[in-house]
Amino acid sequence: MSDTILETHHDYVVLPTTSEPREDGVTLDTPHGGSLVVHEDGHTYNYSYGPSGIPGLVRNRYAVACAAFAGIGGISFGYDQGVISNVLVMNDFVTRWPIGPWEKGLMTAVLELGALFGAITSGILADKYYRRHSIFFASIIFCLGSGLQCGAQSLNDLIIGRAIGGFGVGALSMLSPLYMAEISSPELRGSLMALEQLAIVLGVVFGFWTGFLTRHIAGSASWRIPLALQFLPGISLCLGCFVLPPSPRLLLELLEMQINVALVRRKAKDGLSRETWTTLFGREYVRRTLIGIMIMFFQQWSGINALLYYGPTLVESIGMRGDTVTLLVSGGIGIVQFLAVFPAIIFLDRWGRKPLLKGGSAIMAVSHFMIAILIHLFQDDWGSNTIAAWVAVFCMYIFTAAYGMSFGPIGWVLPSEVFPLSMRSKGVSLSTASNWTNNFLIGLITPPLMEMSSAATFIIFACACFGAYLWSNYVVPETAGVSLEEMDAVFGSTAGQEDRKWTFELERELGLHALIKGLVASDALRQE
């Protein structure tokens, strides 16, 4: 067993080539810009995989490729968001199944309800099986739901298909970020996990413009074709699971997998047990749990998915007229969001989480407030105030860009990095459940809210964004560059102490301590 561990470890960590003394131990430099700091006790260590940002991504191409492929789960989520806004206004669809605001909200929101159960269930699957096996299972469920949607013969068929597909989407939205977090070094974790948001937005763009291009096809093919294309990311991810490596936290650090299994079995024999889940709200975990829940709450109540689900309806509320104009303007929202993710990928680990959250929420709040004022002043006569209408569109784009650089990507980063190993799957699962619960509410209430008062709807979103600013400023800790195993220091708790105790025992038993001491000793001889 020991030899297997060392060989696997060697596949991922480049052995040191040079060293220099430090007050807290010895630093061993590696050929690719990383460093291994061995502390004075001779067996504890920190490993740096190199620089952050673009240079770090270039030097870790294999991890980037694995994270990008896992991000296909985000494409499935985003594609549905983008395509449904067009489907709901297509002539054949509206003629075949006339629906009012509440029915429209229900059909949109039922996917989120299914996703809620998928996110919770995946927290159990991820502890019992490999991450990639769970991703495969979720992809199969998503494909089944996609088949029911594109072949729907009644509105009930479509709703059931969206609920089943939602289960798969919810599971993937939890499993993909978890996998990405566990293959990422601290220096690149933010950048790699921003790929999840990039994948979601890419799916939104593809979904919207696919529906835009097929909307004039005669008959039901106008909406069946874009719904059928959901198969592509689902099947691609199913096949990709055969080539994706196991999560390196389970391969590189097989010790941690054994700790994880031991802790899960020790705390609860059944993953559904009350004790396991209530631990997340105990004194040691509650702050982390609330951060995971609230980042998803603010991500959804910022109003981004209201724009994606009901883009044409919202665009009409700010004075845009004509199907082509409203669809083009709302389609631009997805493009702006897509472009905004790239600065986040580059700078998220360099600038940190808090500055982006604070700046993004402030800009989002001002943008929503400006739109609400313009609607209140000019909604009765947009035809004579086209400049005001385009200013509102500009504010909508500014909001989208701010979201794409802040709560969009960071909403997936924070929940995956604040929990210790033994509770990480369930912590991420609960956080993702918060995402889908609030997503469900937004999808359900936005149509009737817009019908009652468009200005009030944007004021609600503005207040939520202002609350997000206060929360980001006073509650959220900075986690950039902190390893998953060192997060206790950030929260001033001992939640991961039991993990560290088991880690120490297993590392010693499986020979990792001897390996580290051997590296230091051989380097000392080389220096002599």
Side-chain angles (χ1 to χ4, degrees):
M1 174 69 75
S2 177
D3 293 339
T4 302
I5 296 295
L6 299 188
E7 181 181 352
T8 302
H9 191 276
H10 181 75
D11 287 342
Y12 285 85
V13 178
V14 180
L15 296 180
T17 56
T18 61
S19 68
E20 59 182 52
R22 280 178 35 149
E23 293 182 1
D24 58 346
V26 177
T27 299
L28 306 173
D29 297 325
T30 67
H32 299 290
S35 61
L36 178 69
V37 180
V38 182
H39 300 158
E40 290 183 346
D41 58 16
H43 56 77
T44 60
Y45 63 93
N46 292 324
Y47 191 83
S48 169
Y49 291 79
S52 61
I54 295 297
L57 293 174
V58 172
R59 292 177 179 178
N60 290 271
R61 291 186 294 273
Y62 184 71
V64 172
C66 293
F69 208 91
I72 292 177
I75 292 179
S76 64
F77 170 20
Y79 185 89
D80 180 86
Q81 287 182 314
V83 79
I84 195 64
S85 61
N86 271 307
V87 168
L88 291 175
V89 297
M90 287 182 180
N91 291 331
D92 181 83
F93 185 88
V94 174
T95 303
R96 187 183 298 262
W97 298 310
I99 55 176
W102 279 109
E103 290 83 2
K104 183 184 292 187
L106 177 62
M107 200 183 76
T108 303
V110 71
L111 181 135
E112 281 72 48
L113 191 61
L116 169 62
F117 291 103
I120 294 174
T121 304
S122 62
I124 302 167
L125 292 176
D127 275 338
K128 291 183 176 295
Y129 307 102
Y130 281 114
R131 311 305 199 218
R132 61 175 180 171
H133 294 166
S134 300
I135 291 174
F136 178 81
F137 173 76
S139 301
I140 293 294
I141 298 296
F142 175 74
C143 288
L144 291 175
S146 299
L148 283 173
Q149 289 179 65
C150 71
Q153 299 301 312
S154 68
L155 190 61
N156 287 337
D157 291 344
L158 189 61
I159 291 174
I160 293 172
R162 288 182 61 76
I164 294 175
F167 185 96
V169 167
L172 290 172
S173 69
M174 177 269 178
L175 293 165
S176 293
L178 180 64
Y179 181 89
M180 291 178 183
E182 294 185 336
I183 67 171
S184 307
S185 63
E187 296 83 7
L188 295 177
R189 190 168 60 243
S191 295
L192 283 180
M193 293 194 63
L195 292 175
E196 171 73 4
Q197 179 64 16
L198 179 65
I200 292 173
V201 178
L202 190 62
V204 169
V205 173
F206 284 159
F208 181 89
W209 291 104
T210 298
F212 182 82
L213 294 174
T214 64
R215 73 191 191 284
H216 291 313
I217 295 177
S220 64
S222 59
W223 53 270
R224 292 190 192 276
I225 290 174
L227 289 179
L229 290 178
Q230 293 181 104
F231 276 114
L232 294 180
I235 293 174
S236 298
L237 198 52
C238 283
L239 297 176
C241 287
F242 291 101
V243 296
L244 278 178
S247 166
R249 295 282 169 190
L250 308 180
L251 183 61
L252 163 62
E253 312 231 343
L254 187 55
L255 308 174
E256 291 190 3
M257 181 189 73
Q258 296 181 11
I259 295 168
N260 191 17
V261 173
L263 287 178
V264 169
R265 289 177 178 174
R266 184 172 180 174
K267 291 183 176 182
K269 294 181 179 179
D270 184 356
L272 290 170
S273 70
R274 179 180 176 184
E275 179 185 358
T276 304
W277 292 94
T278 55
T279 300
L280 290 170
F281 294 94
R283 183 174 59 87
E284 292 290 344
Y285 290 97
V286 66
R287 187 182 172 199
R288 306 173 195 234
T289 302
L290 289 178
I291 283 177
I293 291 174
M294 294 307 295
I295 187 73
M296 292 303 192
F297 172 87
F298 288 120
Q299 187 193 66
Q300 294 306 311
W301 283 93
S302 69
I304 185 63
N305 281 336
L307 294 181
L308 296 177
Y309 292 143
Y310 308 111
T313 304
L314 290 171
V315 168
E316 286 181 5
S317 74
I318 58 175
M320 298 290 105
R321 295 292 181 264
D323 288 344
T324 301
V325 173
T326 57
L327 289 174
L328 287 173
V329 171
S330 57
I333 293 171
I335 294 176
V336 171
Q337 191 182 357
F338 174 74
L339 296 175
V341 177
F342 288 98
I345 293 175
I346 297 172
F347 298 113
L348 186 54
D349 287 308
R350 186 179 305 175
W351 291 351
R353 289 34 163 171
K354 280 180 71 75
L356 290 176
L357 288 175
K358 290 163 58 179
S361 55
I363 294 172
M364 290 190 295
V366 172
S367 299
H368 278 317
F369 187 67
M370 289 293 296
I371 294 172
I373 291 176
L374 290 170
I375 292 175
H376 178 72
L377 293 176
F378 302 112
Q379 63 182 342
D380 295 327
D381 190 19
W382 284 115
S384 302
N385 298 278
T386 54
I387 294 178
W390 282 107
V391 170
V393 171
F394 178 75
C395 289
M396 194 175 287
Y397 285 172
I398 291 296
F399 157 80
T400 305
Y403 172 88
M405 292 184 62
S406 57
F407 277 82
I410 299 175
W412 300 105
V413 173
L414 276 181
S416 295
E417 67 182 0
V418 298
F419 293 100
L421 180 66
S422 60
M423 298 301 293
R424 191 171 301 147
S425 295
K426 291 181 175 60
V428 174
S429 176
L430 190 62
S431 303
T432 309
S434 170
N435 177 291
W436 291 109
T437 300
N438 290 287
N439 205 333
F440 170 78
L441 293 174
I442 289 293
L444 187 64
I445 69 173
T446 296
L449 275 178
M450 291 297 298
E451 192 170 81
M452 287 187 291
S453 174
S454 299
T457 303
F458 282 99
I459 285 292
I460 291 173
F461 294 150
C463 291
C465 291
F466 178 68
Y469 172 81
L470 297 177
W471 177 77
S472 302
N473 193 38
Y474 296 109
V475 178
V476 178
E478 183 55 73
T479 58
V482 181
S483 72
L484 300 178
E485 291 72 30
E486 295 173 341
M487 204 60 69
D488 273 5
V490 174
F491 287 92
S493 74
T494 58
Q497 192 170 20
E498 187 176 5
D499 284 24
R500 290 193 296 273
K501 174 184 175 183
W502 281 77
T503 300
F504 180 85
E505 293 177 358
L506 286 170
E507 284 180 344
R508 181 176 57 187
E509 176 184 340
L510 297 175
L512 186 57
H513 292 176
L515 170 66
I516 297 298
K517 290 179 180 179
L519 290 173
V520 174
S522 63
D523 182 79
L525 291 174
R526 190 165 54 248
Q527 295 295 326
E528 294 176 358

